[in-house]
Amino acid sequence: MTNPFPTPDTRASGATRGTGEPAADADGLLFDGPEWDFPTVRRTFDAIEKVGTEDLGLSLYPTRLEVINAEQMLDAYASVGMPTMYRHWAFGKRFVQHETMYRRGFSGLALEIVINADPSLCYIMEENTMTMQATVMAHAAVGHNHFFKNNRLFQEWTDPEAILDYLSFAKSYIAACEEKYGIEAVERTIDAAHALQGQGVDRSTGRGRRMDARAEQERVSEMNRRNLEGEEDLWLRTVPVKRDLVAGDPEELERQAEARAMGLPEENLLYFLEKNAPRLREWQRELLRIVRNIATYFEPQKQTKMMNEGCACWCHYTIMTMLHERGLISDSAFMEFLHLHANVVTQPAYDDRRYSGINPYALGFAMTRDIERICTEPTEEDRAWFPGIAGNDKPVATLCEAWANYRDESFIRQYLSPRVMRDFAMFRLDDDTEDPDIVVEAIHDERGYRRVRQGLANLYDPANTEPRIEVVGADIHGDRTLTLQHTVRDGRLLDALETRRTLRHLSWLWGYHVRLTEVDAETGHIYAEHENL
Amino acid sequence: MRIVDRRLNPQGKNLGNRQRFIQRARSQVREAVKRNIRDRSVTDNESGETVSIPADGIHEPQFEPDTQVGRRDRVLTGNREFREGDRIPRPEGGGGGGGGEASEDGEGEDSFVFTLTRDEFLDMLFEDLELPDMIKQQLTAEASPKLQRAGYATTGPPNRLNMVNTLRRSLVRRKALGRPNQAVIEQMERELERLKSGEIAPADGQPADKRIAELEETLRRAREKRGRVPYIDPTDLRFNRYERVPQPIAQAVMFCLMDVSASMDETKKDLAKRFFMLLHLFLERRYDKVDVVFIRHTNQASEVDEETFFHGRQTGGTIVSSALREMLRVVDDRYPLDAWNVYVAQASDGDDVPADVPVCTKMLSERVLPVTQYMAYIEVGGDADTRPGFRTGGPSDLWQGYAQVAELDPRLQMRRVADAGDIYPVFRGLFSQEETAS
């Protein structure tokens, strides 16, 4: 693919920003004070978008800003941030959870939610001050927006133009099913589908079966029509088939052919069940498909969380700084922004009470800024590590290229520099539960940089972090037992209780017995066998 | 860029999901609610209730790795003292490499805490409880009637004009009578003007004069018809109609009577308090307004506030009738019977001066019960050998006296309560629907 970005004018980029712009006097401020109103938001947005597209050369979807209040933000939380969602008790559970946390003051609310749609949908909260609104717009409506539009994963896996339509289709389809087959039956199916959500994505093949929402809807109405007409060619199927004489055991051959036809081994359990579960009804298959499609839509967000936040943080930081240098926002507003920004990109140390893993905002922002620095002011070390980009003086183009073509795992493998590892004081542990001690495998020094980087990249690699579970056999002619296999790496077994519970859902969908074996990736040793009882 | 203000959109998009969730966890939530009522204040009925339920039925399983086994790589930040090859003893509890990492997989079997709204809480609490049938809210002719919508009328004051209905009729009539559209008339006028000025010529090649005459005639007729068929005709008018519906008395006063003499210790008072609280919540749901009057007594009674009622100390003998007398005084004073439903809840350990019991019985049957809707008497017993329905020393004098009245008048109900666990079942016993059927 060709690089979709125009080469931006580097003079206006981060390194030399602010040159040549006469500082505007106080009258030139975009806003003053914490209050906001619609004309101010519009004026500020236009200024921010202009910086984003003209100065930075980003390519954006058009934006739709929606102002919501705290209640509505809680609502959006519960339905995974989407404006429409089908009904299910699990969303209610999430809702009461967030609500309780929020009302008791344990947690604040997000300042913004942005939806990967075309036009890009960006929710801002009415409680925010004008400075926060400006930050949020630069962060979400420019940063995330650019990332959604240009990242390869999003392009391949999602259909931003149609996602909102698809969700409202899903909602009304499920509501219609509830009307027809009863809430209980529908919830039972969705419960089971949700349990397998993590296995509803074609992760390792990477060929995200991107859905086409419009085609989906046509397909469903076509399906309904067919069902109505009852075009079941019963008698075509009852005609006996002549069996050719082929070498080998015919039954065995047939079994292999069937396995091929079912696409075994298959890692996308929801897809497999949708296509092959013998006892599911049409509408149930459709529900599985809906859950699977939504899981696929969200998969790129999971795989690029850190980069995406890094891109957004870099954008809000760069844009707000430029606006300030051009005299468009006041000093006090800029101080408020810096305070907000510092909170977002804090990385507590491992022994800090606030530590909960690596903060994706912190790492993303640090790496992005670091790439910018490598492009403009490289050190000797950088020249050795990144000969391709060091000192190329095209920071924005370099970043755009990274944003477009990488995901978290490959981004770290490619761009995590010794400097960032030192700043974060990263260290890699070898945590073997067989060993009473945890061993420090590598630290942020000359000997350890590559191993720390590799270790960190592995942590962001779904092929490494998500359990690999595949359907390996379905005994169609026997007792119809479905056999799954979990490929175990480094003895990381599944949680037995959770697995049994999940298998209960799985076997309900399959309709027959289900067995899951945990097999070592290298030795083939069978650790455990789980069955639904 | 577009800015859309969504703040005025309907709130509570997740209400349906929320109800489904609570429905699903119903039995567990009900248990939790039962546990929670112990700590509520009697008149605290504004707040919702935070309940904690086991996460079992609402757990969403997934294939998850077991964090206790296997070998993992971890990368952490903030290294100060470690060097390559250092060995760190495994932190207590879990295979976490440090800090809060272990909490990420914390969901599991933990209990799930959330807040019920007040209505949800009360629904759970009083599920299938009813006020006894005999207690009908009385209707009084004097009580101010409420206006209630009752269809449409053809006459009425302008402020009650029903716009939708009126215009619908107007539209039907205009269509039926073929009232010419203003736009059509204007179009003809324009055409006429342009014909006259010679700007256009008739399309069918006829002389312009003929077409002009034609148009003028049509226009005249159209205008005339518009004059004849009005936009709004008096027959179109529809008004909202209201009816006056007499309102039942929607307020109640609840008297809490309690013996605070020395024999009522804190435990007994606490039992009484819980009972009063439940009754108050229950009445709250039935009536627009519930007043609570606290009357405590030893050998003499006085009206006090809630705080004093439950926590104040006073010593003296025990004359129960004093409390009944005080209650009647308050009713006479402040609660005219034609405007108030009166409920009485009395708690005592059954002690009374023997000579006072006949006085109480007489007062109950002759003066108190006739003015009350319902009276509940609970006898709280702190003795170890006291169980509901059984009492080693036989029923107390007061109980015996009340029992005679209760036999004759179903408005008096009595129960014994020995410990906090009994309160809710006893309360349910008093109000459950089976009970009222008997």
Side-chain angles (χ1 to χ4, degrees):
Chain A
M1 248 185 90
T2 54
N3 184 355
F5 308 106
T7 312
D9 177 8
T10 49
R11 272 196 320 110
S13 69
T16 53
R17 59 181 161 259
T19 49
E21 286 282 338
D25 54 18
D27 296 336
L29 291 179
L30 286 167
F31 56 89
D32 201 12
E35 300 300 324
W36 62 267
D37 53 26
F38 287 96
T40 318
V41 168
R42 176 174 293 278
R43 185 168 65 240
T44 312
F45 178 85
D46 290 341
I48 287 172
E49 195 185 34
K50 194 163 157 251
V51 174
T53 51
E54 290 176 17
D55 294 314
L56 302 179
L58 304 177
S59 123
L60 306 175
Y61 290 126
T63 297
R64 198 166 94 209
L65 283 179
E66 301 204 347
V67 183
I68 60 173
N69 57 30
E71 285 301 306
Q72 289 163 325
M73 186 55 104
L74 278 171
D75 271 339
Y77 265 33
S79 41
V80 283
M82 302 309 279
T84 35
M85 211 28 164
Y86 54 86
R87 291 210 155 177
H88 190 253
W89 64 268
F91 302 128
K93 172 181 163 187
R94 229 144 287 153
F95 180 76
V96 295
Q97 219 167 4
H98 288 303
E99 192 192 25
T100 306
M101 295 289 281
Y102 174 63
R103 299 237 187 277
R104 297 168 132 199
F106 290 153
S107 66
L109 291 177
L111 302 178
E112 121 289 334
I113 285 183
V114 58
I115 291 162
N116 168 28
D118 180 11
S120 160
L121 211 57
C122 178
Y123 291 129
I124 57 178
M125 279 234 285
E126 69 170 341
E127 282 87 347
N128 296 354
T129 64
M130 188 55 220
T131 310
M132 282 153 113
Q133 306 292 34
T135 313
V136 158
M137 287 187 280
H139 180 91
V142 176
H144 285 310
N145 186 341
H146 171 84
F147 197 86
F148 287 149
K149 186 171 177 193
N150 298 286
N151 184 267
R152 184 177 57 82
L153 257 64
F154 285 92
Q155 286 172 348
E156 283 173 10
W157 291 49
T158 68
D159 185 0
E161 237 173 88
I163 180 66
L164 296 182
D165 286 345
Y166 184 69
L167 286 176
S168 52
F169 152 76
K171 186 178 178 186
S172 55
Y173 185 87
I174 289 177
C177 284
E178 281 175 346
E179 194 115 302
K180 220 163 159 188
Y181 310 107
I183 291 182
E184 221 166 288
V186 172
E187 286 212 331
R188 183 81 186 76
T189 313
I190 299 181
D191 283 354
H194 279 183
L196 302 173
Q197 229 171 159
Q199 280 71 40
V201 183
D202 302 308
R203 203 172 277 120
S204 57
T205 56
R207 57 180 159 117
R209 288 191 182 92
R210 177 182 129 151
M211 51 116 189
D212 177 346
R214 245 168 259 122
E216 282 295 293
Q217 289 174 44
E218 274 160 29
R219 195 182 50 72
V220 169
S221 57
E222 167 67 19
M223 184 178 86
N224 288 341
R225 194 185 57 78
R226 258 207 333 270
N227 286 351
L228 272 178
E229 289 176 5
E231 280 184 353
E232 303 268 339
D233 282 351
L234 240 191
W235 58 291
L236 263 188
R237 290 200 269 128
T238 48
V239 175
V241 183
K242 215 191 270 177
R243 221 168 246 154
D244 286 335
L245 293 171
V246 193
D249 178 9
E251 269 191 27
E252 182 53 37
L253 283 176
E254 192 166 327
R255 199 154 293 180
Q256 283 172 7
E258 263 162 9
R260 269 200 309 282
M262 286 190 285
L264 299 183
E266 171 63 63
E267 64 161 341
N268 191 332
L269 302 190
L270 283 179
Y271 178 80
F272 177 82
L273 289 169
E274 177 197 326
K275 298 298 175 204
N276 300 306
R279 298 217 323 226
L280 287 184
R281 302 177 46 194
E282 275 311 314
W283 62 270
Q284 290 178 304
R285 293 180 205 278
E286 194 57 41
L287 297 195
L288 297 192
R289 193 180 178 93
I290 287 171
V291 172
R292 179 168 67 81
N293 277 337
I294 294 176
T296 303
Y297 170 81
F298 280 114
E299 184 64 17
Q301 312 213 2
K302 276 205 235 160
Q303 294 196 18
T304 59
K305 166 93 178 154
M306 186 269 290
M307 285 183 80
N308 200 343
E309 295 302 350
C311 169
C313 287
W314 182 85
C315 283
H316 77 226
Y317 182 79
T318 309
I319 292 174
M320 291 298 277
T321 310
M322 285 168 86
L323 291 180
H324 178 236
E325 283 172 3
R326 292 175 188 180
L328 293 170
I329 54 179
S330 65
D331 289 346
S332 61
F334 192 64
M335 290 305 285
E336 186 190 344
F337 158 74
L338 286 179
H339 179 72
L340 186 68
H341 172 74
N343 278 340
V344 169
V345 298
T346 308
Q347 174 64 60
Y350 74 97
D351 50 358
D352 193 298
R353 273 180 54 219
R354 295 164 299 161
Y355 182 83
S356 59
I358 290 181
N359 175 359
Y361 294 81
L363 182 60
F365 180 68
M367 285 183 67
T368 314
R369 287 282 285 173
D370 190 54
I371 293 172
E372 194 184 352
R373 182 191 59 78
I374 292 171
C375 291
T376 52
E377 300 156 13
T379 61
E380 276 316 303
E381 183 183 51
D382 297 325
R383 288 192 194 280
W385 278 69
F386 305 101
I389 60 167
N392 68 0
D393 219 24
K394 283 189 250 170
V396 181
T398 311
L399 284 174
C400 281
E401 139 81 18
W403 289 332
N405 298 317
Y406 291 81
R407 59 174 184 169
D408 285 353
E409 170 258 333
S410 50
F411 183 62
I412 290 174
R413 255 182 242 290
Q414 182 70 28
Y415 290 108
L416 184 66
S417 74
R419 164 85 173 257
V420 172
M421 286 184 256
R422 279 197 301 275
D423 287 350
F424 277 73
M426 288 182 187
F427 60 111
R428 175 174 171 178
L429 298 176
D430 180 2
D431 179 6
D432 188 346
T433 44
E434 302 283 295
D435 189 336
D437 291 338
I438 297 171
V439 182
V440 178
E441 153 92 12
I443 66 162
H444 46 96
D445 60 11
E446 206 54 54
R447 275 151 45 85
Y449 288 140
R450 288 191 194 273
R451 273 175 293 151
V452 170
R453 179 157 88 171
Q454 195 183 10
L456 189 65
N458 286 343
L459 292 184
Y460 284 89
D461 184 0
N464 184 51
T465 52
E466 303 281 337
R468 183 176 175 83
I469 295 168
E470 290 165 316
V471 182
V472 290
D475 187 4
I476 291 290
H477 298 288
D479 61 1
R480 297 193 163 178
T481 299
L482 185 70
T483 316
L484 300 142
Q485 180 178 313
H486 172 222
T487 310
V488 181
R489 281 164 310 228
D490 293 331
R492 294 198 292 268
L493 300 179
L494 292 176
D495 184 286
L497 177 64
E498 285 297 290
T499 303
R500 274 199 304 279
R501 286 168 156 177
T502 315
L503 284 182
R504 212 177 302 152
H505 283 304
L506 178 54
S507 90
W508 186 81
L509 288 174
W510 176 246
Y512 299 93
H513 197 65
V514 175
R515 182 188 304 127
L516 185 146
T517 44
E518 302 205 59
V519 180
D520 193 273
E522 276 143 33
T523 62
H525 170 69
I526 296 178
Y527 289 98
E529 222 168 74
H530 308 276
E531 296 186 53
N532 69 298
L533 296 173
Chain B
M1 198 260 309
R2 280 176 55 205
I3 306 183
V4 185
D5 190 353
R6 289 267 181 233
R7 287 172 297 176
L8 297 177
N9 278 22
Q11 314 275 311
K13 260 204 280 187
N14 268 295
L15 204 62
N17 289 332
R18 188 191 169 105
Q19 283 163 350
R20 284 181 183 200
F21 165 68
I22 289 173
Q23 187 61 38
R24 191 178 174 95
R26 195 160 198 92
S27 57
Q28 291 149 330
V29 174
R30 206 185 295 128
E31 281 302 309
V33 163
K34 257 193 240 174
R35 278 198 308 276
N36 278 26
I37 54 171
R38 300 186 174 190
D39 309 323
R40 277 177 86 99
S41 144
V42 175
T43 44
D44 169 19
N45 40 36
E46 296 309 313
S47 60
E49 192 66 42
T50 301
V51 293
S52 157
I53 59 173
D56 216 26
I58 49 158
H59 178 64
E60 297 166 271
Q62 301 254 313
F63 287 121
E64 273 169 18
D66 184 346
T67 50
Q68 305 299 318
V69 296
R71 184 173 176 178
R72 289 179 169 72
D73 266 341
R74 296 175 190 282
V75 175
L76 291 94
T77 61
N79 178 26
R80 280 183 301 274
E81 68 274 29
F82 301 131
R83 310 208 144 271
E84 189 179 328
D86 281 359
R87 299 181 76 83
I88 312 166
R90 189 176 303 280
E92 294 285 314
E101 198 139 303
S103 70
E104 276 173 30
D105 14 75
E107 278 263 329
E109 299 290 278
D110 290 354
S111 57
F112 183 83
V113 180
F114 68 101
T115 309
L116 289 172
T117 64
R118 175 170 178 257
D119 283 346
E120 286 165 347
F121 171 67
L122 295 180
D123 274 343
M124 287 284 171
L125 200 56
F126 300 121
E127 211 179 19
D128 48 66
L129 288 189
E130 274 302 324
L131 275 178
D133 287 345
M134 58 186 178
I135 309 167
K136 290 285 177 243
Q137 294 161 330
Q138 289 164 349
L139 303 183
T140 53
E142 286 84 4
S144 66
K146 250 187 202 164
L147 287 179
Q148 208 172 47
R149 278 291 298 274
Y152 304 103
T154 48
T155 55
N159 62 340
R160 291 207 188 143
L161 182 68
N162 186 303
M163 214 53 105
V164 173
N165 225 312
T166 303
L167 282 176
R168 189 180 296 145
R169 280 163 185 283
S170 148
L171 178 67
V172 169
R173 187 181 44 79
R174 279 180 282 133
K175 281 287 167 229
L177 298 180
R179 183 179 198 258
N181 205 321
Q182 180 66 32
V184 174
I185 290 182
E186 276 169 15
Q187 197 190 338
M188 285 194 289
E189 279 170 347
R190 266 200 309 279
E191 192 185 341
L192 193 62
E193 211 168 284
R194 292 169 75 192
L195 277 173
K196 279 180 175 165
S197 67
E199 197 180 319
I200 51 171
D204 49 6
Q206 301 224 352
D209 289 351
K210 194 174 171 197
R211 176 69 186 148
I212 287 173
E214 230 175 65
L215 260 181
E216 271 172 345
E217 177 58 17
T218 332
L219 207 51
R220 189 188 59 76
R221 264 196 245 125
R223 287 204 180 112
E224 202 179 307
K225 188 146 199 188
R226 259 178 91 80
R228 276 205 311 275
V229 183
Y231 189 78
I232 299 261
D233 189 90
T235 59
D236 299 335
L237 297 181
R238 285 298 176 274
F239 298 88
N240 293 334
R241 203 172 78 82
Y242 291 86
E243 252 173 15
R244 285 171 186 275
V245 182
Q247 285 302 296
I249 303 172
Q251 52 189 2
V253 55
M254 169 184 157
F255 286 94
C256 299
L257 313 182
M258 186 166 69
D259 180 2
V260 292
S261 61
S263 57
M264 283 288 280
D265 54 26
E266 280 300 320
T267 342
K268 289 180 183 172
K269 276 194 201 170
D270 187 50
L271 289 179
K273 172 182 169 179
R274 292 197 181 140
F275 183 81
F276 291 146
M277 183 200 84
L278 281 176
L279 185 61
H280 183 236
L281 284 174
F282 189 49
L283 292 176
E284 270 277 304
R285 282 168 62 76
R286 296 284 148 182
Y287 295 102
D288 291 349
K289 184 179 174 212
V290 178
D291 269 15
V292 186
V293 177
F294 296 100
I295 295 173
R296 66 171 185 180
H297 71 92
T298 51
N299 52 358
Q300 44 180 285
S302 55
E303 189 187 342
V304 292
D305 59 26
E306 184 182 348
E307 187 58 28
T308 326
F309 186 68
F310 289 114
H311 303 293
R313 291 179 185 281
Q314 202 183 22
T315 48
T318 312
I319 298 179
V320 176
S321 60
S322 65
L324 298 175
R325 206 166 286 126
E326 173 72 7
M327 178 217 130
L328 289 169
R329 188 191 64 76
V330 176
V331 170
D332 283 346
D333 250 19
R334 304 206 301 263
Y335 298 103
L337 292 175
D338 52 1
W340 292 84
N341 292 295
V342 178
Y343 290 83
V344 184
Q346 186 180 7
S348 156
D349 57 359
D351 279 352
D352 196 8
V353 180
D356 186 48
V357 174
V359 183
C360 288
T361 338
K362 189 155 176 282
M363 214 147 114
L364 264 185
S365 51
E366 287 177 7
R367 296 189 53 202
V368 177
L369 288 179
V371 303
T372 52
Q373 301 290 343
Y374 189 74
M375 172 164 176
Y377 170 68
I378 57 160
E379 200 162 292
V380 288
D383 305 347
D385 53 357
T386 307
R387 286 285 167 272
F390 298 95
R391 196 178 162 98
T392 40
S396 69
D397 296 343
L398 194 62
W399 178 273
Q400 278 178 333
Y402 272 38
Q404 289 166 12
V405 183
E407 248 170 56
L408 298 174
D409 197 330
R411 278 179 291 194
L412 175 63
Q413 291 284 334
M414 28 204 303
R415 288 286 188 283
R416 283 205 185 86
V417 178
D419 65 48
D422 293 340
I423 292 282
Y424 189 58
V426 161
F427 184 82
R428 289 190 75 88
L430 283 174
F431 291 100
S432 63
Q433 282 143 328
E434 296 87 344
E435 191 72 20
T436 54
S438 66

